Amino acid sequence: QVQLVESGGGLVQPGGSLNLSCVPSRSIFSTYDMGWYRQAPGKQRELVAGITLVLSTNYADSVKGRFIISRDNAKNTVYLQMNSLKPEDTAVYYCNARNRWTRAEYWGQGTQVTVSS
């Protein structure tokens, strides 16, 4: 059983930055790939960024060059640094953990990001 808690969302103006954090209830980085997803009203949930056990990363085309996903094993925390935010980035952002071997998957409750002037 894994619980994921996201934080760092909020209201920001276009062009601004936010740093999201995801803290699992226990240490999981030895077995889990991590990712950030988002879902805007009326849209499907989409993968924003992912990072694997071996630190391979991938990003949605819409955020390449603006967002950075990272993991800090010492703090058992995954981050999503979001720069140059646009109104279309407005969504609820969810942390995801997926076991590399069993494919067990866990989701956080989400944190709201609103980009508006």
Side-chain angles (χ1 to χ4, degrees), residues 12-83:
V12 65
Q13 293 185 338
S17 298
L18 287 172
N19 190 22
L20 306 184
S21 299
C22 173
V23 181
S25 58
R26 61 179 176 85
S27 180
I28 61 171
F29 289 161
S30 63
T31 53
Y32 284 78
D33 294 331
M34 305 296 299
W36 286 95
Y37 290 72
R38 69 185 180 188
Q39 187 168 21
K43 296 184 178 180
Q44 296 290 100
R45 186 173 298 187
E46 64 173 344
L47 175 67
V48 177
I51 185 166
T52 71
L53 290 171
V54 295
L55 303 182
S56 296
T57 58
N58 66 287
Y59 298 90
D61 288 341
S62 60
V63 307
K64 287 181 179 177
R66 298 189 296 122
F67 292 8
I68 301 172
I69 187 170
S70 62
R71 58 199 298 171
D72 185 337
N73 290 342
K75 299 179 68 175
N76 196 35
T77 303
V78 178
Y79 302 96
L80 183 66
Q81 178 64 49
M82 304 186 294
N83 302 312

